[in-house]
Amino acid sequence: MIVEDEPVLREELAFQLGHMGFAVETFENASQLYRYLAAFSTTLVVLDIGLEGEDGLSVCRYLRAHDSRIGIIFVTARSLRDQRIEGLEAGADAYLVKPIDIDELALVLHRLAARTHWPAVERRASLEARPTWHLDETEYELHAPNGVRTTLTLTEMRVLRALIASGSYTCTHAQLGVALGVHPDELDKHRIEVIVSRLRSKVTRSTGLAAPLRTDRNLGYRWG
């Protein structure tokens, strides 16, 4: 789980860790994380401290009080000695200062995952059994894993249909333009970016979960 309120960094961490083999979910704040944890368990949390609303230190204390095995890594801009000590005293297993080395973060995550003594096969089985996102094209709805449904506009439906149809491959801006019925000569990348951004926000507001809609910088978007 990545809890980070800066969208670009959140997407970048999710993208890179996903390519390293981690199953990633992203959240903007504590409330979104808590709603997710009400339905699913988690092994590792990458946590910013300077969150809006409840800060990362409070989140860390809450998580540690409820699950002694969970791995918690602070990724924060707060670099002073006393701040690092405060973070570790709150219950974090590691404290990394931005800008971080993604390989260092991955190494810490792997070591914490090994500490839980949950075999990889068991983790995969758990993930496969987890409810997934479902697009209902008849009702124009996106069904979240927690059962909450988001009603979609025709434009949003077309975008999601194209993304899901692309599987694990990136759906380019041009491909999304075609899905929206836009002539290639009239393609407006900014319009597509606005549609995707609003769709992300809409799904998060209605479901409490971050949709698995990833940004491949300068290329397009992908689902999953």
Side-chain angles (χ1 to χ4, degrees):
M1 308 295 108
I2 298 173
V3 189
E4 167 62 58
D5 61 358
E6 205 288 303
V8 174
L9 177 58
R10 187 171 63 244
E11 289 287 338
E12 185 67 21
L13 286 174
F15 177 76
Q16 293 195 49
L17 290 176
H19 274 267
M20 290 179 170
F22 292 94
V24 181
E25 297 286 349
T26 61
F27 308 93
E28 185 177 355
N29 53 47
S31 297
Q32 292 177 7
L33 175 67
Y34 292 156
R35 282 195 291 268
Y36 182 88
L37 292 178
F40 307 110
S41 61
T42 188
T43 309
L44 304 167
V45 177
V46 176
L47 184 61
D48 186 21
I49 292 180
L51 301 171
E52 291 189 14
E54 184 177 357
D55 68 22
L57 293 170
S58 176
V59 174
C60 181
R61 295 187 186 102
Y62 173 85
L63 294 176
R64 182 59 67 221
H66 286 77
D67 188 344
S68 61
R69 292 202 307 166
I70 193 170
I72 303 173
I73 306 96
F74 277 129
V75 172
T76 175
R78 301 183 184 187
S79 60
L80 298 180
R81 173 184 177 275
D82 289 347
Q83 292 171 329
R84 295 172 66 93
I85 291 175
E86 184 179 24
L88 295 172
E89 286 180 339
D93 296 286
Y95 192 108
L96 304 181
V97 177
K98 301 174 183 176
I100 63 166
D101 183 321
I102 192 66
D103 292 324
E104 181 182 4
L105 175 59
L107 178 60
V108 173
L109 289 169
H110 278 300
R111 288 184 173 176
L112 289 176
R115 188 196 68 184
T116 65
H117 303 297
W118 291 354
V121 173
E122 292 181 7
R123 288 200 296 272
R124 281 200 298 271
S126 174
L127 289 170
E128 289 168 359
R130 177 184 297 174
T132 58
W133 296 84
H134 170 67
L135 182 63
D136 186 335
E137 298 188 32
T138 302
E139 298 295 331
Y140 279 43
E141 291 178 338
L142 179 65
H143 298 195
N146 60 6
V148 179
R149 304 180 180 189
T150 302
T151 301
L152 305 171
T153 64
L154 176 59
T155 295
E156 293 165 345
M157 169 65 72
R158 288 173 173 172
V159 167
L160 279 176
R161 182 194 295 144
L163 288 168
I164 293 172
S166 296
S168 60
Y169 294 98
T170 298
C171 192
T172 66
H173 291 91
Q175 290 171 322
L176 288 175
V178 171
L180 292 172
V182 177
H183 191 278
D185 293 337
E186 301 174 352
L187 179 66
D188 183 352
K189 288 178 60 177
H190 177 67
R191 180 190 172 213
I192 293 175
E193 290 167 355
V194 169
I195 292 171
V196 171
S197 176
R198 288 178 177 174
L199 177 58
R200 277 198 184 107
S201 298
K202 180 178 183 178
V203 172
T204 300
R205 285 197 308 271
S206 63
T207 69
L209 303 180
L213 207 171
R214 315 299 184 194
T215 301
D216 286 351
R217 193 170 296 174
N218 298 324
L219 296 176
Y221 305 91
R222 61 187 174 87
W223 183 263

